[in-house]
């Protein structure tokens, strides 16, 4: 039940998470200086200098707790709070520089809750 749609979180420089994202980006650039830089356009948002995060680095983005900024005027996203909470290391992630902002792009985000329990749902 994963979506093929590109999901994103745009964090402006005025957000309290921007400094952490800048430090993460600079660390990744220093570690992978030879990696190809990606570009992406999502509507009016243009990201450049992108880096695909390896599975071992994805916990750094998850540790930022982007769901804390869900209602912030300095954060823009096309994901709902459930999707932000359900991000894990299996989700493909990229980080980009944008104009006075940082753009995180996610692929493989679940569109809704996954069935669980013996019959595909919980009887509680």
């Amino acid at each position: 039940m994963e979506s093929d749609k590109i999901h994103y979180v745009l964090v402006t420089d005025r957000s309290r998470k921007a400094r952490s994202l800048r430090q993460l980006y600079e660390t990744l650039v220093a570690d992978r200086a030879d990696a190809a830089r990606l570009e992406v356009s999502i509507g009016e948002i243009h990201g450049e200098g992108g880096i695909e995060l390896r599975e071992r680095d994805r916990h750094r983005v998850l540790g930022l707790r982007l769901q804390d900024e869900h209602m912030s005027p300095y954060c823009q996203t096309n994901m709902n709070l459930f999707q932000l909470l359900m991000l894990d290391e299996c989700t493909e992630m990229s980080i980009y520089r944008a104009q006075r902002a940082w753009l995180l792009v996610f692929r493989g985000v679940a569109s809704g809750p996954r069935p669980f329990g013996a019959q595909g749902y919980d009887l509680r």
Side-chain angles (χ1 to χ4, degrees), residues 4-120:
D4 292 337
K5 179 179 173 185
I6 294 177
H7 292 85
Y8 71 91
V9 175
L10 180 73
V11 179
T12 64
D13 284 340
R14 298 186 76 184
S15 170
R16 58 188 172 166
K17 303 287 182 177
R19 183 175 177 186
S20 300
L21 282 169
R22 180 177 47 84
Q23 290 172 345
L24 172 62
Y25 181 82
E26 289 172 353
T27 302
L28 291 171
V29 167
D31 289 347
R32 298 169 49 191
D34 59 339
R37 301 293 179 253
L38 308 170
E39 291 190 15
V40 68
S41 290
I42 304 170
E44 296 180 10
I45 303 168
H46 180 71
E48 57 187 30
I51 298 174
E52 188 81 28
L53 273 77
R54 297 179 188 140
E55 192 167 346
R56 65 182 178 166
D57 294 326
R58 294 176 187 166
H59 73 281
R60 293 174 164 179
V61 172
L62 299 175
L64 292 173
R65 298 181 45 89
L66 294 170
Q67 64 269 19
D68 293 347
E69 295 288 297
H70 186 254
M71 298 298 287
S72 169
Y74 306 119
C75 182
Q76 177 183 349
T77 183
N78 64 347
M79 294 192 290
N80 59 40
L81 185 57
F82 170 80
Q83 290 169 323
L84 285 170
L85 288 168
M86 296 308 294
L87 291 175
D88 61 7
E89 284 86 4
C90 298
T91 308
E92 294 177 30
M93 302 177 192
S94 302
I95 185 170
Y96 297 85
R97 286 188 325 255
Q99 187 173 0
R100 289 183 297 234
W102 297 98
L103 177 64
L104 291 161
V105 175
F106 303 95
R107 291 180 178 83
V109 176
S111 58
R114 294 184 180 99
F116 65 97
Q119 303 296 321

